[in-house]
């Protein structure tokens, strides 16, 4: 309710402000007086336009332009010129589409052109004034309003984009946290699984050791079975890890290198040896994880099979390969889930490397290739704000081009209007001396050489001291070549006969100078 009252107050204030020029121009006598009903009709049209400008901006603009078009064909009026510009601005601000505005401008241009064509005025000059008024008094304010509308839409889109990016960042952070938890769980599974596999391997070696009592041999067998079962249960338990603690665990890699890992596995009874080129980064955490997972699988599924670990490094990548040379003599344990190898594949692929695992020469091989630190991972960085920035620049460029095109068109129209105005006025000048030499009764053939090449098409006939003779062809000329000022005019009327005899000549004074006409005629005659 409060918003509606505020809107009503604003619209009443706008209507009052636009009605002031209509009344002020009449009170100050700045143009030919209008009747009371004309003033009331114009003010009512402004009121209707004010009431409709929010819902029907193009209709409101046409209502505001109608009184000005009724008063002047060129729309150039002091009474309604301000209202024309205001409602053109509001049309650009309120209207989301361009087509209704263009249709409104076209309708005004057509209506003004039709009115000019049926009036006894100079059509070229009047039409140029119409186009100039329509351009600078309507199109330019409309472009300004449209620019502010687009600016507001871009600002709102920018805030919406910022909120969306903030939500996306939160989602990315949450996903990264979940991935990190999963990675920690996988590391726990792989590390503990490796240790349990080594325990099972040592228990198996103890089980077959010579001279061991039967009860101790059974205990070693139970230990080996329990370690294997613990590994399977560990896999299931780690899969149930829940995110109940937002505090991240320390992720520093253990100090053990690949060489130390291989030595420890060999001490546990696994027949393994390392082939590593000098300078190879075997302390890398991912390389360590590949070797650890491969040795765990070898100890669990192929106990007794010799294992070879190879590591090579060049300028672009580090390659590590773990190979079982032949099948194990002892029976293999049941196949596992393979989640460790799948996790390694995902991790290495994410780093831009390659991973492969599968049978090889009757045994099994795990191979990984890791890009060197600083090596390009491929792809092109994407600017998340590129689309919005491009839209903003495109909108500004379109507005700038529209303003530029309108300015060029306006300059051409105004320049053309001024040139035509100057030409028609300066080539329709009959000097006072030449006017004084003309005698009533002279035929047109005798006086035509003294007359200008053009006549005035819009003379101030309302200021003529006497009405023109009936059935006479009257011509009007300016008494001076001054532009943009009021000057005297001469009226010459010729009879409608064969000789076109000059039957009347009169001086039309400037506004407010009728008393000086007779004195000036006497001076011209001298």
């Amino acid at each position: 309710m409060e918003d509606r009252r505020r809107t009503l107050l604003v619209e009443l204030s706008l209507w009052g402000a636009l009605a002031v020029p209509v009344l002020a121009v009449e009170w100050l006598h700045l143009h030919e007086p209008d009747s009371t009903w004309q003033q009331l009709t114009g003010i009512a049209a402004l009121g209707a336009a004010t009431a409709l400008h929010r819902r029907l901006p193009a209709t409101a603009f046409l209502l505001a332009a109608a009184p000005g078009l009724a008063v002047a064909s060129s729309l150039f009026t002091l009474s309604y010129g301000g209202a024309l510009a205001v409602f053109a601005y509001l049309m650009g601000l309120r209207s989301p589409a361009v087509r209704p505005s263009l249709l409104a401008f076209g309708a005004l241009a057509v209506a003004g052109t039709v009115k000019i064509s049926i009036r006894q005025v100079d059509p070229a000059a009047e039409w140029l004034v119409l186009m100039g008024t329509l351009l600078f008094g309507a199109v330019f304010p409309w472009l300004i309003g449209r620019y502010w509308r687009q600016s507001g839409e871009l600002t709102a889109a920018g805030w919406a984009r910022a909120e969306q990016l903030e939500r996306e960042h939160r989602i990315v952070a949450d996903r990264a946290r979940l991935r990190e938890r999963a990675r920690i769980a996988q590391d726990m599974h792989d590390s503990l699984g490796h240790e349990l596999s080594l325990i099972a391997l040592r228990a198996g070696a103890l089980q077959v050791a010579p001279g061991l009592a039967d009860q101790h041999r059974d205990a070693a067998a139970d230990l080996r079975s329990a370690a294997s079962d613990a590994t399977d249960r560990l896999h299931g338990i780690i899969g149930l890890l829940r995110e109940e603690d937002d505090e991240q665990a320390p992720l520093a890699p253990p100090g053990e290198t690949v060489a130390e890992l291989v030595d420890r596995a060999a001490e546990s009874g696994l027949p393994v040896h390392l082939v590593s080129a000098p300078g190879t980064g075997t302390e890398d955490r991912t390389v360590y994880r590949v070797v650890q997972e491969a040795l765990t699988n070898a100890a669990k599924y192929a106990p007794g099979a010799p294992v070879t670990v190879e590591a090579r490094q060049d300028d672009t990548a580090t390659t590590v390969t773990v190979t079982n040379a032949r099948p194990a003599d002892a029976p293999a344990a049941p196949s596992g889930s393979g989640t460790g190898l799948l996790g390694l594949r995902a991790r290495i692929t994410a780093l831009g490397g390659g991973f492969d695992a599968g049978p090889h020469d009757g045994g099994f091989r795990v191979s990984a290739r890791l890009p060197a630190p600083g090596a390009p991972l491929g792809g092109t960085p994407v600017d998340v704000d590129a689309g919005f920035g491009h839209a903003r620049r495109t909108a500004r460029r379109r507005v700038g081009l529209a303003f530029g095109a309108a300015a060029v068109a306006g300059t051409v129209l105004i320049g053309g209007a001024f040139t035509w105005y100057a030409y028609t006025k300066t080539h329709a000048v009959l000097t006072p001396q030449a006017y004084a030499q003309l005698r009533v009764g002279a035929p047109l053939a005798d006086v035509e050489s003294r007359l200008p090449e053009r006549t005035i098409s819009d003379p101030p006939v309302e200021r003529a001291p006497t009405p023109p003779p009936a059935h006479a062809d009257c011509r009007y000329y300016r008494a001076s070549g001054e532009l943009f000022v009021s000057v005297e005019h001469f009226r010459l009327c010729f009879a409608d006969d064969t000789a076109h005899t000059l039957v009347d000549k009169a001086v039309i004074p400037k506004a407010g100078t009728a008393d000086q006409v007779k004195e000036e005629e006497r001076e011209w005659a001298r």
Side-chain angles (χ1 to χ4, degrees):
M1 189 66 179
E2 186 65 25
D3 292 340
R4 183 175 300 178
R5 290 179 179 176
R6 186 182 298 108
T7 301
L8 180 60
L9 180 61
V10 170
E11 292 182 350
L12 289 176
S13 301
L14 176 62
W15 183 27
L18 296 177
V20 168
V22 179
L23 301 176
V25 168
E26 295 294 331
W27 293 338
L28 298 176
H29 305 288
L30 297 180
H31 66 68
E32 296 298 328
D34 294 331
S35 62
T36 303
W37 73 267
Q38 288 178 319
Q39 296 181 32
L40 294 177
T41 302
I43 293 175
L46 295 180
T50 305
L52 294 175
H53 78 90
R54 296 180 184 275
R55 292 174 296 166
L56 302 171
T59 303
F61 169 72
L62 291 176
L63 284 173
L69 188 62
V71 173
S73 304
S74 62
L75 284 174
F76 189 76
T77 63
L78 296 176
S79 300
Y80 303 101
L84 181 72
V86 168
F87 282 102
Y89 167 80
L90 293 175
M91 180 172 61
L93 187 65
R94 305 289 185 192
S95 180
V98 177
R99 186 175 181 181
S101 303
L102 298 181
L103 291 176
F105 294 144
L108 275 185
V110 171
T113 301
V114 171
K115 186 176 180 181
I116 290 172
S117 64
I118 62 178
R119 293 181 64 227
Q120 296 298 321
V121 296
D122 186 355
E126 195 79 1
W127 187 82
L128 288 174
V129 175
L130 169 65
M131 293 297 104
T133 304
L134 191 60
L135 178 66
F136 290 98
V139 175
F140 267 27
W142 173 75
L143 287 175
I144 294 174
R146 186 158 184 82
Y147 170 78
W148 281 114
R149 176 185 177 86
Q150 291 179 346
S151 178
E153 291 176 348
L154 286 174
T155 301
W159 282 111
R161 176 64 174 168
E163 293 176 357
Q164 179 183 356
L165 288 177
E166 186 177 355
R167 290 193 299 269
E168 290 178 356
H169 289 165
R170 287 197 298 265
I171 293 173
V172 170
D174 291 341
R175 293 182 63 183
R177 186 179 297 110
L178 291 175
R179 285 195 300 268
E180 191 62 25
R181 292 181 185 278
R183 192 188 69 80
I184 294 172
Q186 188 65 40
D187 284 350
M188 293 174 60
H189 169 268
D190 296 337
S191 298
L192 294 178
H194 177 74
E195 299 300 332
L196 290 173
S197 296
L198 294 182
I199 292 174
L201 184 64
R202 291 186 179 186
L206 181 61
Q207 181 182 359
V208 297
L212 190 67
D214 291 341
Q215 59 180 356
H216 293 158
R217 198 180 305 277
D218 294 339
D222 293 340
L223 178 60
R224 181 169 180 253
S225 178
S228 179
D229 293 341
T231 302
D232 294 335
R233 287 197 301 271
L234 175 64
H235 171 71
I237 294 172
I238 292 299
L240 299 178
L241 181 64
R242 297 291 185 264
E243 49 172 333
E244 297 179 355
D245 185 8
D246 288 336
E247 183 178 354
Q248 296 191 7
L251 302 178
E256 188 177 44
T257 64
V258 172
E260 295 172 345
L261 173 65
V262 171
D263 292 341
R264 190 159 57 86
E267 293 174 357
S268 300
L270 184 67
V272 56
H273 70 282
L274 173 65
V275 179
S276 175
T280 303
T282 55
E283 70 281 355
D284 183 87
R285 177 64 175 168
T286 306
V287 174
Y288 180 93
R289 280 283 299 107
V290 171
V291 176
Q292 183 187 55
E293 179 67 21
L295 294 181
T296 301
N297 290 338
K300 184 176 181 181
Y301 303 124
V307 182
T308 301
V309 179
E310 298 181 75
R312 297 287 185 268
Q313 183 175 7
D314 55 28
D315 295 337
T316 61
T318 298
T319 303
V320 58
T321 304
V322 182
T323 307
N324 292 346
R326 60 179 176 80
D329 295 335
S335 300
S337 63
T339 55
L341 295 179
L342 293 176
L344 283 176
R345 184 187 301 276
R347 176 183 295 188
I348 294 173
T349 302
L351 294 175
F355 182 84
D356 185 51
H360 177 75
D361 291 342
F364 198 84
R365 168 177 285 183
V366 175
S367 179
R369 184 179 183 275
L370 302 172
L377 301 180
T380 303
V382 178
D383 184 2
V384 294
D385 289 330
F388 176 71
H390 175 71
R392 179 169 52 192
R393 290 190 298 271
T394 301
R396 289 179 176 176
R397 183 168 59 252
R398 288 179 177 175
V399 172
L401 290 175
F403 270 105
V408 171
T411 302
V412 172
L413 287 174
I414 296 301
F418 175 77
T419 302
W420 182 256
Y421 172 81
Y423 174 80
T424 56
K425 300 306 180 185
T426 55
H427 286 72
V429 176
L430 177 64
T431 63
Q433 293 77 12
Y435 170 79
Q437 295 174 2
L438 299 177
R439 296 290 179 261
V440 175
L444 176 62
D446 294 343
V447 303
E448 193 168 16
S449 60
R450 303 176 185 177
L451 300 179
E453 59 178 286
R454 298 187 60 85
T455 61
I456 295 299
S457 58
D458 52 345
V461 294
E462 68 279 356
R463 296 201 302 267
T466 58
H471 307 291
D473 177 22
C474 295
R475 303 181 182 183
Y476 296 86
Y477 303 93
R478 290 168 58 91
S480 171
E482 297 177 89
L483 302 177
F484 305 108
V485 295
S486 179
V487 299
E488 288 86 0
H489 287 70
F490 298 131
R491 184 184 69 192
L492 303 179
C493 295
F494 297 90
D496 188 13
D497 54 17
T498 304
H500 296 288
T501 305
L502 179 63
V503 296
D504 181 69
K505 53 182 292 189
V507 178
I508 301 178
K510 295 184 291 185
T513 61
D515 296 338
Q516 303 176 10
V517 171
K518 294 186 180 297
E519 183 64 25
E520 290 178 350
E521 286 184 326
R522 286 193 294 268
E523 291 179 359
W524 296 336
R526 288 197 301 268

